[in-house]
């Protein structure tokens, strides 16, 4: 008979995410799934409201990446108006997006993933403690916190507030960028570049000790989807969609993100409410694709900034065609952070950023608008329908975390197969459980916001026997 | 005495605003630094540098009554979520910012976290009681040596002192 | 016109015969809260925020509708009145869907300012969450019933100043709604001159200029005084 191991965070309010590993009678992994309740409700909330309100409303979807939702929503609004917004507004939006990717990646790498990376996957819980870090590592983590602060500060300067900035809307942005802010931002740049470079060096040196994780913790072929600039370089705000396969071949390019629903479909699977997006011409599951840092580096031909270009060339050497290891999301994140800092510095020298023509005024000119951008976790799409007066009649959000859904499932299953060596009656080892989490952490999924959970979601592990009875149970983070 | 009080919560999520309410009461009746945060972030840890005492206040669905306890430093840093709790922040502060003082968590019982402003009567009285308890804690800290942080006996004495004594200052 | 002397909040003030307690107090620097009164328009007594205590009278009186009298003793800010005002604001906030976070007038709203001024940091009443429409049929302006507090400033300014009387109130009690003409969409109104006065006098984000996003709109609170002074005194000063 088969046995089921459930790794389930328990929320005190609503929403849930868990890992379920099905073992066969012999204790080998039969299959594994990662479940998260898809976020719902925002689409319903929008109905009957003016589309101009959407950026403010959508910024509440997520506390980590409000800027992404504001940008996608503003761009959908731009399309409803049928306008091309002034250059100053574009530059402000770009600046905020780079800053947000920087701060989000800093949180993911330095705060969430560094314990795995610095202390190792097999460290016992009592050693998986920040006190175990050396003095140099402590400075390393302090730098990570400062990087996040830098990103937050830039967002605050553009948006006026640290979170939920309501500065951008259909047609442009609300305030001119404060010229005096440039010196402060430029003052941060040397330290930020230094910190990211240190992290890159450190990460590359660490890679050798993570050979099993590289090879078996989510190493599988897939398509990769991301936005690119007209010359095929990294692009986060506005561009065309390109898709490459595991061998690095371009499968599709110049796809219009505003027509995403024509080439991206959503499949359903038994046992979870979450959808599984796929590239329509390939069908499901062959058409499943990954988004986010790894996908962007696989898809882009170049970075477009000097230091990031060097790192990107080196990064591309790590795969045959595309880099397929989920573990390399971490390294990809660092390359992106370098690129973001470089782009922020560039924008400080760009006079257009300070322009005072920041709003294109127009009446409603279309009944459907789509906005997309590259969010920290991948390509984000907002699609709105409005009535003749501009009141919302429908909204569809395709978020990065759901596009990586199948990839996270595959990563969990592969990790379970490789690292779970539980017999029928033995408890799973700490290192195994940690790797299951780490496999998902590569994708830095936004669980707390996608489930609307309030407070912490501690990881609880349940071991169930073949009849579904609880054999053992243990929790991490018992608060 | 160099104490920092951090109230955590969102007043738009009903009883989640209990700690914020307690913080407002505390600000009116003591000199300690009181900060209100919707949530804890890694940067919060940097604010602990050089503090002798840090006290968190939080609404808690699992708490049966107002409680005051020491925050344990040992934590597993691994998490799938982007939220931080007092234990993680204290651990970060100790590991990264040389925080060597004591940390407490005051829990305020709360049940309803629905998206409406306002507090249930229970959370409101819990917030008032929490504020009274913390004022006493601050007094007792001040009564001890200003340099040496009080030891476990203070925590023990506070545990027994479960709100039976009248408040010294009116809250 | 003869002068009356009265006491407001312990101060002796003078007022003209026929002046309201509200405006006499206001002239003497005593600001009684209000949401429906607006200088230049007739009084409606709709919001009840200016209720005051008058010695010798059992009932509270709306200052905006009460004429001054000799030796009248008025209290405008007793603890009981402040408690009533807070409750009135809470009732207004609970009645419809006042979501400041996505409102065009966030940061410049009279209701929001008054709530802050009165210390309304939470609403003790159960929100009603009515399902109310938004009318965006007008080319330039929008009406969001969710944010309407039925102060009727729009009704009065349209009738008394613009002379169009596009707006009126339909329904009773909780079903009361501002309507244009006989209830058709604003954009189809035959009487509306699109002058925008109603939008400027509206204390909340219920009436707004289209195309504005969150917290982006600011209303011109001085325009009515300007045109009324111009009309009545032939003085074009702002």
């Amino acid at each position: 008979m088969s046995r089921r191991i459930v790794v389930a965070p328990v929320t005190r309010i609503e929403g849930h995410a868990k890992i379920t590993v099905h073992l066969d009678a012999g204790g080998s992994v039969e299959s594994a799934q990662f479940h998260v309740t898809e976020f719902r409700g925002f689409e319903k909330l929008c109905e009957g409201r003016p589309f101009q309100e959407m950026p403010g409303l959508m910024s509440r979807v997520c506390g980590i990446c409000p800027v992404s939702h504001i940008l996608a929503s503003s761009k959908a609004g731009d399309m409803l108006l049928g306008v091309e917004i002034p250059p100053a507004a574009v530059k402000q939006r770009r600046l905020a997006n780079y800053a947000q990717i920087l701060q989000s990646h800093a949180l993911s790498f330095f705060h969430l993933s560094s314990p795995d990376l610095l202390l190792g996957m097999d460290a016992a819980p009592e050693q998986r403690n920040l006190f175990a870090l050396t003095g140099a590592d402590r400075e390393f983590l302090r730098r990570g916190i400062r990087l996040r602060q830098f990103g937050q500060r830039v967002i605050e300067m553009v948006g006026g507030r640290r979170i939920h900035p309501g500065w951008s809307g259909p047609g442009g942005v609300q305030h001119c960028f404060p010229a005096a802010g440039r010196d402060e931002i430029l003052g941060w740049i040397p330290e930020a570049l230094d910190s990211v470079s240190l992290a890159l060096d450190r990460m590359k040196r660490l890679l050798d000790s993570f050979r099993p994780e590289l090879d078996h913790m989510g190493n599988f072929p897939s398509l990769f989807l991301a936005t690119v600039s007209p010359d095929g370089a990294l692009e986060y705000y506005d561009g065309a969609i390109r898709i490459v396969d595991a061998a690095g071949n371009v499968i599709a390019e110049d796809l219009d993100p505003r027509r995403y629903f024509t080439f991206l479909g959503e499949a359903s699977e038994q046992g979870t409410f979450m959808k599984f997006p796929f590239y329509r011409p390939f069908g499901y599951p062959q058409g499943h694709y990954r988004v986010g840092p790894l996908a962007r580096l696989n898809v882009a031909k170049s970075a477009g900034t000097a230091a990031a270009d060097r790192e990107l060339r080196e990064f591309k050497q790590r795969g045959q065609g595309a880099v397929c290891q989920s573990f390399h999301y971490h390294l990809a994140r660092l390359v992106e952070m370098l690129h973001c800092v470089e782009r922020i510095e560039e924008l400080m020298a760009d006079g257009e950023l300070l322009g005072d023509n920041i709003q294109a005024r127009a009446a409603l000119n279309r009944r459907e608008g789509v906005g997309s951008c590259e969010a920290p976790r991948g390509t984000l799409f907002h699609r709105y329908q409005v009535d003749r007066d501009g009141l919302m009649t429908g909204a569809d959000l395709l978020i990065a975390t759901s596009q990586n859904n199948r990839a996270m499932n595959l990563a969990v299953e592969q990790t379970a197969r490789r690292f779970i060596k539980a017999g029928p009656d033995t408890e799973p080892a700490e290192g195994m459980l940690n790797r299951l989490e780490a496999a998902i952490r590569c994708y830095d999924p936004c669980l707390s916001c996608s489930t609307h959970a309030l407070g912490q979601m501690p990881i609880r592990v349940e071991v169930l026997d073949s009849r579904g009875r609880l054999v053992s149970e243990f929790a991490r983070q018992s608060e | 005495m160099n104490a920092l009080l951090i109230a955590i919560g969102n007043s738009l999520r009903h009883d989640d605003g209990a700690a914020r309410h307690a913080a407002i009461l505390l600000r009116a009746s003591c000199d300690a630094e009181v900060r209100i945060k919707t949530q804890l972030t890694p940067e919060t840890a940097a604010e602990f540098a050089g503090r002798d005492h840090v006290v968190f206040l939080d609404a808690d669905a699992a708490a049966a009554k107002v409680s005051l306890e020491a925050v344990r430093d040992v934590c597993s840093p691994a998490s799938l979520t982007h939220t931080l709790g007092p234990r993680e922040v204290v651990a970060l502060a100790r590991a990264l910012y040389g925080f060597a003082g004591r940390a407490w968590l005051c829990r305020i019982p709360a049940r309803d976290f629905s998206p409406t402003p306002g507090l249930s009567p229970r959370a409101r009285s819990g917030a008032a009681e929490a504020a009274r308890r913390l004022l006493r804690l601050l007094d007792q800290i001040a009564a001890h040596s200003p340099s040496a942080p009080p030891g476990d006996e203070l925590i023990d004495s506070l545990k027994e002192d479960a709100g039976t004594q009248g408040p010294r200052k009116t809250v | 016109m003869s002068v009356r002397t009265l006491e407001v909040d312990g101060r002796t003030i003078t007022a003209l015969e026929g002046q309201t307690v509200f405006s006499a107090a206001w002239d003497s620097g005593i600001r009684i809260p209000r949401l429906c009164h607006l200088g230049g328009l007739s009084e409606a007594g709709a919001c009840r925020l200016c209720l005051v205590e008058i010695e010798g009278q059992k009932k509270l009186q709306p200052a905006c509708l009460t004429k001054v009298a000799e030796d009248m003793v008025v209290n405008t800010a007793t603890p009981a009145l402040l408690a009533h005002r807070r409750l009135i604001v809470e009732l207004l906030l609970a009645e419809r869907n006042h979501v400041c976070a996505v409102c065009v007038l966030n940061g410049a709203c009279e209701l929001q300012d008054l709530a802050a001024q009165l210390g309304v940091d939470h609403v003790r009443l159960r929100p009603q969450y009515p399902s109310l429409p938004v009318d965006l049929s007008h080319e330039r302006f929008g009406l969001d019933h969710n944010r309407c507090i039925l102060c009727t400033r729009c009704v009065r300014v349209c009738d008394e100043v613009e002379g169009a009387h596009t707006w009126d109130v339909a329904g009773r009690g909780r079903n009361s709604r501002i309507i244009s003409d006989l209830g058709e969409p604003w954009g189809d109104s035959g009487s509306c001159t699109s002058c925008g006065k109603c939008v400027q006098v509206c204390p909340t984000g219920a009436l707004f200029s289209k195309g504005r996003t969150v917290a982006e709109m600011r209303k011109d609170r001085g325009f009515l005084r300007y045109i009324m002074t111009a009309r009545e005194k032939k003085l074009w000063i702002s």
Side-chain angles (χ1 to χ4, degrees):
Chain A
M1 273 307 268
S2 64
R3 205 162 66 97
R4 204 156 62 107
I5 298 170
V6 183
V7 183
V10 184
T11 73
R12 63 185 187 190
I13 304 298
E14 57 197 325
H16 70 279
K18 63 177 178 180
I19 301 165
T20 315
V21 182
H22 300 272
L23 301 182
D24 63 18
S28 302
V29 174
E30 198 168 84
S31 65
Q33 279 110 36
F34 170 64
H35 316 268
V36 54
T37 52
E38 191 176 15
F39 74 72
R40 293 178 182 279
F42 267 86
E43 287 93 336
K44 192 72 194 161
L45 264 177
C46 302
E47 278 174 26
R49 301 303 310 170
F51 72 91
Q52 286 91 348
E53 278 179 12
M54 289 305 110
L57 194 65
M58 290 300 175
S59 73
R60 266 75 182 174
V61 169
C62 177
I64 307 283
C65 51
V67 173
S68 305
H69 287 284
I70 288 175
L71 291 186
S73 186
S74 299
K75 288 180 70 183
D78 299 344
M79 183 171 162
L80 287 167
L81 298 176
V83 297
E84 188 176 331
I85 69 168
V90 174
K91 296 284 159 76
Q92 280 198 32
R93 288 182 182 179
R94 283 182 182 278
L95 177 61
N97 204 22
Y98 289 127
Q100 140 137 321
I101 288 168
L102 179 64
Q103 66 92 1
S104 174
H105 282 3
L107 184 73
S108 167
F109 181 81
F110 289 95
H111 191 72
L112 298 177
S113 299
S114 64
D116 289 342
L117 303 173
L118 301 179
L119 301 170
M121 300 277 175
D122 294 306
E126 58 274 16
Q127 283 157 11
R128 293 179 51 73
N129 182 311
L130 293 163
F131 289 112
L133 296 172
T134 65
D137 287 342
R138 292 176 187 195
E139 172 57 19
F140 186 69
L141 293 189
R142 279 196 292 267
R143 280 175 173 273
I145 289 176
R146 293 264 300 161
L147 268 176
R148 198 183 104 88
Q149 264 177 325
F150 171 48
Q152 295 284 63
R153 180 73 189 116
V154 175
I155 292 171
E156 192 181 328
M157 222 174 266
V158 185
R161 281 170 76 182
R162 211 176 277 186
I163 50 166
H164 304 322
W167 102 102
S168 173
V173 297
Q174 281 189 20
H175 313 289
C176 298
F177 184 81
R182 291 192 299 184
D183 286 342
E184 186 190 331
I185 291 178
L186 284 170
W188 281 83
I189 297 280
E191 182 195 328
L193 283 173
D194 200 35
S195 296
V196 180
S197 304
L198 267 172
L200 269 164
D201 288 347
R202 185 76 192 270
M203 184 68 198
K204 285 185 226 167
R205 277 186 277 121
L206 280 170
L207 283 174
D208 278 343
S209 51
F210 288 96
R211 192 43 63 187
E213 284 77 13
L214 276 163
D215 291 344
H216 303 287
M217 214 177 75
N219 179 18
F220 50 84
S222 74
L223 301 179
F224 296 93
L225 178 148
T227 310
V228 289
S229 69
D231 57 353
L234 279 178
E235 172 59 47
Y236 297 84
Y237 173 71
D238 205 11
I241 299 288
R242 176 191 282 171
I243 299 172
V244 301
D245 67 11
N249 304 311
V250 175
I251 297 301
E253 59 185 340
D254 295 327
L255 296 171
D256 184 354
R258 295 181 299 182
R259 307 274 302 153
Y260 76 90
F261 45 90
T262 61
F263 56 86
L264 299 179
E266 286 184 298
S268 298
E269 287 228 357
Q270 175 66 28
T272 174
F273 291 116
M274 203 162 171
K275 294 282 178 46
F276 293 81
F278 63 98
Y279 179 53
R280 279 182 195 277
F282 281 33
Y284 184 78
Q286 290 73 24
H288 94 85
Y289 60 91
R290 286 186 262 183
V291 295
L294 183 68
R296 289 190 283 251
L297 296 201
N298 278 330
V299 164
K301 287 178 182 155
S302 62
T305 56
D309 258 325
R310 282 194 298 276
E311 294 296 336
L312 180 63
R313 276 194 296 276
E314 192 184 319
F315 183 85
K316 284 180 178 291
Q317 302 299 314
R318 298 179 187 276
Q320 272 103 35
V323 178
C324 288
Q325 294 103 320
S326 299
F327 199 75
H328 276 319
Y329 265 93
H330 296 304
L331 188 56
R333 226 165 254 132
L334 290 169
V335 176
E336 289 202 309
M337 285 165 71
L338 187 61
H339 177 67
C340 289
V341 177
E342 288 183 291
R343 286 289 195 213
I344 290 172
E345 187 178 17
E346 267 178 31
L347 279 165
M348 290 307 104
D350 189 333
E352 276 188 336
L353 176 71
L354 304 180
D356 56 3
N357 186 4
I358 51 175
Q359 268 275 353
R361 298 275 176 206
L364 182 68
N365 282 303
R366 288 206 174 86
R367 297 291 286 276
E368 180 170 293
V370 180
S372 76
C373 65
E374 288 293 329
R377 290 156 191 81
T379 321
L380 172 68
F381 301 94
H382 281 208
R383 180 186 181 198
Y384 305 153
Q385 280 102 23
V386 297
D387 69 9
R388 54 181 277 259
D389 295 331
L391 295 173
M392 296 284 294
T393 56
D396 178 46
L397 314 184
L398 184 54
I399 59 164
T401 295
S402 22
Q403 293 172 83
N404 279 334
N405 192 16
R406 184 171 162 82
M408 287 189 282
N409 273 277
L410 290 174
V412 162
E413 183 160 312
Q414 193 183 45
T415 307
R417 283 182 194 284
R418 171 64 173 77
F419 295 100
I420 292 182
K421 291 279 167 42
D425 299 312
T426 51
E427 283 188 5
E430 174 69 20
M432 175 279 273
L433 296 169
N434 192 42
R435 280 187 181 84
L436 283 178
E437 284 178 51
I440 292 170
R441 217 160 18 239
C442 292
Y443 293 86
D444 190 26
C446 223
L447 300 191
S448 38
C449 49
S450 61
T451 57
H452 294 180
L454 194 71
Q456 299 223 54
M457 299 205 297
I459 301 299
R460 199 165 78 187
V461 181
E462 290 177 358
V463 182
L464 305 174
D465 71 8
S466 55
R467 288 180 223 160
R469 286 178 312 200
L470 195 67
V471 176
S472 67
E473 170 185 34
F474 50 104
R476 186 179 288 162
Q477 265 190 322
S478 57
E479 287 301 331
Chain B
M1 179 178 66
N2 183 2
L4 173 65
L5 280 72
I6 294 182
I8 310 159
N10 182 348
S11 58
L12 296 178
R13 296 297 296 254
H14 212 60
D15 286 353
D16 199 36
R20 177 179 286 257
H21 185 66
I24 291 165
L25 298 175
L26 280 162
R27 273 184 181 159
S29 39
C30 75
D31 299 330
E33 198 171 338
V34 183
R35 294 189 188 161
I36 297 175
K37 293 176 186 292
T38 315
Q39 60 191 10
L40 297 173
T41 58
E43 296 92 288
T44 311
E47 299 171 23
F48 295 7
R51 301 278 177 178
D52 296 327
H53 310 274
V54 173
V55 189
F56 298 93
L57 289 97
D58 198 4
D60 192 335
K65 56 182 178 146
V66 175
S67 69
L68 187 61
E69 64 207 62
V71 177
R72 284 177 297 159
D73 308 331
V74 183
C75 81
S76 163
S79 167
L80 275 184
T81 71
H82 294 107
T83 55
L84 277 182
R87 284 168 64 182
E88 289 78 23
V89 174
V90 170
L92 264 183
R94 293 206 191 289
L96 303 186
Y97 297 100
F99 170 59
R102 296 199 63 109
W104 285 284
L105 170 62
C106 178
R107 299 172 195 262
I108 304 169
R111 287 289 173 272
D112 183 356
F113 294 89
S114 56
T116 53
L119 294 176
S120 66
R122 186 184 148 89
R124 179 171 297 275
S125 66
E129 191 194 328
R132 287 194 294 270
R133 292 276 293 272
L134 294 186
L135 280 178
R136 273 205 304 284
L137 172 69
L138 293 172
D139 281 352
Q140 284 171 311
I141 288 171
H144 278 72
S145 154
S147 54
D152 289 328
E153 71 283 0
L154 174 58
I155 293 286
D156 293 339
S157 74
L158 284 162
K159 275 181 189 157
E160 289 154 19
D161 178 31
T164 47
Q165 203 176 304
R168 202 179 59 81
K169 295 175 188 169
T170 310
V171 177
Chain C
M1 219 181 270
S2 55
V3 170
R4 296 281 178 268
T5 307
L6 65 157
E7 191 184 305
V8 179
D9 293 345
R11 280 173 55 192
T12 301
I13 67 168
T14 55
L16 296 173
E17 183 189 3
Q19 203 174 1
T20 63
V21 171
F22 182 94
S23 86
W26 192 267
D27 287 348
S28 301
I30 298 166
R31 303 287 195 247
I32 303 172
R34 85 289 181 266
L35 286 173
C36 71
H37 166 91
L38 192 64
L41 301 182
S42 64
E43 302 296 353
C47 73
R48 315 312 278 177
L49 281 160
C50 71
L51 286 177
V52 293
E53 290 175 4
I54 297 173
E55 278 187 16
Q57 296 191 24
K58 271 181 117 176
K59 285 172 68 178
L60 302 176
Q61 298 295 339
C64 69
L65 290 172
T66 306
K67 299 280 192 283
V68 296
E70 191 63 29
D71 295 333
M72 191 182 238
V73 179
V74 181
N75 283 303
T76 73
T78 63
L81 284 173
L82 292 176
H84 286 321
R85 283 185 195 132
R86 270 199 294 275
L87 183 60
I88 289 168
V89 170
E90 287 178 56
L91 282 161
L92 288 173
L93 292 172
E95 188 177 23
R96 296 197 177 180
N97 306 308
H98 295 277
V99 186
C100 302
V102 294
C103 179
V104 287
L105 210 59
N106 190 3
C109 168
E110 290 187 39
L111 177 61
Q112 192 183 39
D113 290 349
L114 189 60
Q117 184 194 323
L118 294 174
V120 180
D121 51 10
H122 54 271
V123 176
R124 292 166 290 180
L125 307 152
R126 181 182 292 277
Q128 298 299 297
Y129 297 128
S131 177
L132 294 169
V134 181
D135 185 344
L136 287 186
S137 58
H138 192 280
E139 190 187 351
R140 289 163 51 207
F141 309 121
L143 165 59
D144 186 347
H145 290 285
N146 293 286
R147 301 172 185 150
C148 175
I149 57 168
L150 295 167
C151 68
T152 69
R153 282 186 190 176
C154 55
V155 177
R156 287 173 283 147
V157 79
C158 186
D159 176 43
E160 298 164 14
V161 182
E162 178 62 12
H165 201 129
T166 301
W167 295 117
D168 219 317
V169 183
R172 299 177 67 82
R174 63 181 297 172
N175 296 317
S176 300
R177 301 278 185 278
I178 296 293
I179 54 164
S180 51
D181 289 349
L182 293 171
E184 52 260 67
W186 190 1
D188 296 344
S189 163
S191 64
C192 176
T193 64
S194 300
C195 72
K197 290 186 183 68
C198 53
V199 175
Q200 297 303 332
V201 300
C202 173
T204 71
L207 288 165
F208 57 95
S209 299
K210 279 168 76 169
R212 298 287 173 172
T213 61
V214 180
E216 205 191 4
M217 190 178 173
R218 295 295 175 258
K219 295 196 174 180
D220 181 357
R221 302 296 186 195
F223 92 97
L224 191 58
R225 175 177 295 274
Y226 173 78
I227 58 173
M228 294 313 283
T229 309
R231 178 175 297 181
E232 288 163 10
K233 301 182 180 160
K234 304 294 176 209
L235 286 173
W236 284 266
I237 49 172
S238 56

